[in-house]
Amino acid sequence: MLRRIIVAIIAFFSLTSVSFSKISQTEWLVKIGNRTYTVKDFWNWWENWKVDGSKFPKNPTPFIDWMLMFQNGTELGLYKLPSYQKKIRQFVKVRSLLLLEGDTLAPARKVSDKEVMEYYKKNYIPKFKLDIYFFKDKKEADKARKLIKEGITGAKLAQKLGIKNKMHFERKTDWMRPFEIKDINQRKLILNTPKGGIIGPVQDGKMWIIIIVADKTTKENNLQEVLKDAKQKLIKIKEAEATEAFLKQLRKKYSVWINRKLLKEINFKNFPESKKKEVVLKVGNYALTAGGFMKFLKKEVEWEKHSRFGKVNMNIAKKRVVDSIINQTLVGIEALNRHYERKEPLKPMFEFYCQNRIIKELENRIIKPSIKISQKEIKDYYNKHKSEYRLPDKITLRFLQTNDKKLMDKLYKEVKEGKDFKKLTVTIMGYDNVVTIPYNHLLPESKKIIEKLKEGEISKPFKIKDTYFMVQVLKLQKDRYKPLSEVENEIKEKLYKEKFETAKQAYIRKLYTNLLSKGEEVKVNWDVWNTIVNNYHNKNQYNGTYAFYLFLISLVIIAAIAYYKGRESEK
């Protein structure tokens, strides 16, 4: 029977298999003049160029256009421009920092179950509840301990000691774990004290405290969840240790120089302008002047004032800024020096980004300056597409309603006799019942009546379900449009996009023409292209059907195993 199950599995997997034609990544796909682009070049372009919902190109034209523009931008030397180089440096630095972080912290993130359990036993158990009493001096605390030993606690203890303000006298904790007790000595005392035991008096800052271990246990309600939390904390600790060790290595690897004398002199009140140009810090080839340092220091001081609500210690603030600048600079230098952009996985993305930036420079410097949008074009577009900017029709109504037909007839009679409808509405409804609503929100029954009224006119009574209404049209706003001034920028953006795309395509055609005029041409390896297209669509089809067939396979396996076990039990 087991053999039948295996055969069934093989049969179903054979249904899901799709034949893919093998194609070498180094096979040439496109030749533009004397330059050749491979299958790998195409896939790298597609994977980086596409966005969610992008349709796979029907032909290689978009890829060829892209490479034509890239080649042209390169020939024009746009890679020498400061704007290009700045963008490339930013890209490399940001991506390299992410990869460097991964390389540095990856070992720290690998923790074994044994390590997690050891960390848990040391920092998570036993759990305990504490009663803590606070005293201003040791003498009072010693007296309290004697009373506590006699069984006097809480309000009675406060009364015996003559303590009137009980707000800061006693604190009862919920369940706590060892890692939550930051004071190491207090933690040791609590861990070594049994349930019901008394600790202290112990000095805690300016206060003296007595701790009663009210409850203590090693039982866990949900051990797996607690272990998961312990694992995350252990990883963070290991990451911090790995980071610290890495920064120490970098300080040895690269030169760091601090002008201690100048650093000490820096202040915001009377620091000489001439000294602001002096170098206060050097890290590798990076140098920071005193003036530049003061900008960072100012931000640090403002942050400390805002977050700590107290007086800022300037020496400590300076040290924080110095350490932060040194660490960030060292990491940045190391990230760049590792040249991640020259190897996987960053290399393909870097190559695409360089191509993209060259094309952007080409567009910004050659194509975009040629595009002009006149006020007349904007106005003409607005007039031709005015329906796109139509505002919904609105109507302002005053209405009166009642369930009493006799009352409504009486009110209508008074209206016909000239009584003020507004006063009638206030009398019956208790307020001036005026609403403004979109015209198309009117109910069909009321719309038939209201559309016959002019502004100021009052309708005859009409009934909707069990309610009678009289309506006065106060204002009807129809055929309204957004003013040109409100949509001008939107129209300008639309026209700009259209003109840009037209100008871009014209420029690409010019590049094709220039290529042909030199006796060069564009060649496409259509056999390779067709294989690429077929493989792409077959792969998508395979991914779509795989889950369905996998579900069927699982049903077959479950049914087969159930059948096999049933047969076994009958024997």
Side-chain angles (χ1 to χ4, degrees):
M1 187 60 201
L2 284 173
R3 186 183 172 195
R4 290 181 187 175
I5 295 172
I6 294 167
V7 170
I9 293 170
I10 292 170
F12 271 100
F13 270 112
S14 68
L15 285 172
T16 65
S17 67
V18 177
S19 61
F20 294 98
S21 301
K22 288 186 178 180
I23 182 170
S24 171
Q25 292 293 296
T26 58
E27 190 77 49
W28 79 272
L29 173 64
V30 171
K31 289 181 180 179
I32 304 174
N34 57 2
R35 298 189 186 183
T36 301
Y37 297 97
T38 64
V39 172
K40 186 180 180 181
D41 292 326
F42 169 79
W43 281 120
N44 186 45
W45 167 79
W46 170 249
E47 290 301 324
N48 287 286
W49 180 82
K50 69 178 180 181
V51 292
D52 290 343
S54 291
K55 291 184 179 179
F56 195 77
K58 294 178 181 179
N59 54 58
T61 301
F63 174 65
I64 296 168
D65 291 350
W66 173 274
M67 288 305 174
L68 261 175
M69 291 190 73
F70 165 62
Q71 284 184 197
N72 181 240
T74 305
E75 288 164 3
L76 293 172
L78 300 182
Y79 55 87
K80 297 176 184 176
L81 295 170
S83 53
Y84 169 82
Q85 293 174 359
K86 183 182 177 182
K87 288 287 185 182
I88 296 301
R89 282 197 301 270
Q90 287 174 343
F91 173 86
V92 172
K93 187 172 183 179
V94 171
R95 297 287 176 171
S96 296
L97 284 170
L98 291 172
L99 291 168
L100 178 62
E101 181 190 19
D103 287 351
T104 307
L105 301 181
R109 290 167 182 160
K110 293 175 183 177
V111 294
S112 65
D113 292 342
K114 184 182 178 182
E115 287 178 297
V116 174
M117 184 56 74
E118 286 174 357
Y119 180 77
Y120 164 76
K121 288 178 179 178
K122 185 178 178 181
N123 296 280
Y124 277 72
I125 55 173
K127 297 186 294 182
F128 38 78
K129 288 184 178 181
L130 306 174
D131 290 351
I132 307 171
Y133 294 96
F134 298 85
F135 305 95
K136 290 181 180 178
D137 56 66
K138 189 174 183 298
K139 188 177 179 181
E140 189 179 39
D142 287 331
K143 185 179 178 182
R145 182 183 171 93
K146 290 177 183 177
L147 293 170
I148 291 169
K149 275 191 169 184
E150 294 172 11
I152 300 170
T153 58
K156 288 183 180 179
L157 178 63
Q159 188 179 3
K160 282 276 187 182
L161 296 170
I163 295 171
K164 294 179 181 179
N165 185 2
K166 300 172 188 175
M167 187 178 293
H168 303 295
F169 170 64
E170 180 185 15
R171 181 167 77 89
K172 290 180 180 287
T173 73
D174 201 348
W175 285 111
M176 296 184 73
R177 297 186 184 274
F179 73 82
E180 294 178 277
I181 306 296
K182 304 304 177 187
D183 189 299
I184 301 299
N185 292 327
Q186 289 181 25
R187 187 191 302 178
K188 285 180 181 177
L189 290 169
I190 292 165
L191 291 174
N192 293 325
T193 302
K195 179 180 175 180
I198 304 168
I199 301 167
V202 177
Q203 193 164 9
D204 187 72
K206 293 181 180 180
M207 304 292 287
W208 287 84
I209 62 172
I210 291 175
I211 303 169
I212 301 172
V213 181
D215 204 351
K216 202 170 191 179
T217 184
T218 57
K219 292 180 180 178
E220 288 288 2
N221 295 328
N222 192 340
L223 180 60
Q224 291 307 312
E225 280 299 313
V226 177
L227 286 175
K228 187 178 177 182
D229 182 73
K231 183 178 181 178
Q232 292 304 314
K233 280 190 170 60
L234 178 58
I235 287 172
K236 284 183 179 179
I237 290 168
K238 287 196 161 227
E239 284 179 343
E241 290 171 350
T243 301
E244 188 177 352
F246 180 61
L247 290 171
K248 283 181 180 178
Q249 289 176 8
L250 294 183
R251 289 207 181 203
K252 291 177 182 177
K253 185 175 180 179
Y254 300 103
S255 62
V256 176
W257 176 82
I258 304 169
N259 188 336
R260 302 276 179 193
K261 185 176 179 294
L262 182 61
L263 182 66
K264 191 176 180 181
E265 292 174 2
I266 289 174
N267 65 81
F268 296 124
K269 289 182 179 178
N270 53 8
F271 191 67
E273 283 293 324
S274 58
K275 286 198 171 187
K276 287 184 180 180
K277 294 180 181 179
E278 291 183 27
V279 175
V280 70
L281 183 64
K282 284 183 183 179
V283 184
N285 295 325
Y286 171 81
L288 181 66
T289 63
F293 179 84
M294 287 175 73
K295 291 178 182 178
F296 290 110
L297 183 61
K298 187 179 180 182
K299 289 181 181 178
E300 174 67 21
V301 170
E302 287 173 354
W303 177 83
E304 287 193 27
K305 282 180 180 177
H306 177 73
S307 60
R308 290 187 170 85
F309 303 101
K311 191 176 180 181
V312 177
N313 186 314
M314 192 59 72
N315 290 328
I316 294 174
K318 286 179 183 179
K319 186 179 184 309
R320 281 202 185 97
V321 174
V322 167
D323 288 342
S324 176
I325 292 170
I326 290 173
N327 291 341
Q328 288 183 43
T329 307
L330 285 172
V331 171
I333 292 169
E334 178 65 12
L336 292 173
N337 285 346
R338 292 198 180 190
H339 292 291
Y340 287 105
E341 75 278 7
R342 297 178 186 174
K343 50 197 173 186
E344 299 287 346
L346 186 57
K347 185 181 178 182
M349 189 186 296
F350 174 69
E351 289 175 354
F352 173 84
Y353 187 79
C354 289
Q355 293 169 359
N356 187 44
R357 289 315 314 172
I358 287 285
I359 292 171
K360 290 296 179 189
E361 292 290 347
L362 186 68
E363 291 173 349
N364 292 337
R365 292 175 179 273
I366 297 176
I367 300 174
K368 288 183 179 179
S370 68
I371 300 170
K372 308 292 180 188
I373 309 292
S374 69
Q375 200 63 32
K376 184 179 183 301
E377 287 176 296
I378 294 170
K379 193 173 181 180
D380 288 345
Y381 183 93
Y382 176 75
N383 290 330
K384 287 177 183 177
H385 301 83
K386 206 169 181 180
S387 59
E388 295 176 17
Y389 307 107
R390 178 168 178 154
L391 292 167
D393 295 340
K394 285 185 178 182
I395 188 165
T396 303
L397 303 167
R398 175 181 288 120
F399 68 93
L400 189 156
Q401 67 184 68
T402 177
N403 294 329
D404 189 335
K405 185 179 184 304
K406 289 183 179 179
L407 175 61
M408 181 58 80
D409 290 340
K410 178 177 175 293
L411 294 170
Y412 181 58
K413 186 178 178 183
E414 291 179 14
V415 168
K416 286 200 297 182
E417 290 171 355
K419 191 155 186 180
D420 188 275
F421 187 63
K422 179 180 177 181
K423 289 180 180 177
L424 266 181
T425 305
V426 173
T427 302
I428 302 302
M429 305 285 292
Y431 56 93
D432 187 13
N433 195 16
V434 175
V435 294
T436 300
I437 58 172
Y439 194 78
N440 60 4
H441 284 194
L442 290 170
L443 294 172
E445 301 96 316
S446 60
K447 195 173 183 180
K448 287 180 183 178
I449 294 164
I450 291 168
E451 65 185 5
K452 295 175 183 177
L453 300 174
K454 296 178 182 177
E455 286 188 8
E457 282 189 323
I458 301 166
S459 72
K460 293 179 180 179
F462 59 93
K463 184 180 179 183
I464 298 177
K465 294 185 178 179
D466 298 325
T467 306
Y468 295 90
F469 295 87
M470 257 198 301
V471 175
Q472 182 183 29
V473 175
L474 298 179
K475 190 175 183 181
L476 180 59
Q477 297 169 286
K478 275 191 168 186
D479 299 325
R480 298 180 308 133
Y481 299 88
K482 289 181 182 179
L484 176 59
S485 58
E486 191 177 315
V487 296
E488 185 174 347
N489 289 336
E490 182 186 331
I491 293 171
K492 191 173 183 179
E493 191 176 332
K494 278 185 180 180
L495 291 174
Y496 187 89
K497 283 181 179 178
E498 289 173 7
K499 283 198 170 189
F500 172 76
E501 194 54 40
T502 302
K504 183 178 176 180
Q505 291 306 315
Y507 192 82
I508 291 170
R509 285 195 298 273
K510 183 181 174 183
L511 294 178
Y512 275 103
T513 304
N514 290 344
L515 199 69
L516 293 171
S517 67
K518 294 176 187 176
E520 298 176 343
E521 58 183 341
V522 176
K523 290 182 180 179
V524 177
N525 191 337
W526 288 108
D527 289 338
V528 170
W529 173 253
N530 291 332
T531 304
I532 287 173
V533 172
N534 289 335
N535 284 354
Y536 178 82
H537 291 303
N538 287 339
K539 183 181 177 182
N540 283 357
Q541 184 182 10
Y542 175 74
N543 289 337
T545 58
Y546 181 75
F548 172 71
Y549 282 122
L550 194 59
F551 172 71
L552 290 181
I553 291 166
S554 64
L555 291 180
V556 171
I557 292 170
I558 292 167
I561 291 171
Y563 174 79
Y564 179 71
K565 286 185 176 180
R567 290 289 300 271
E568 286 291 315
S569 62
E570 289 174 5
K571 292 179 181 179

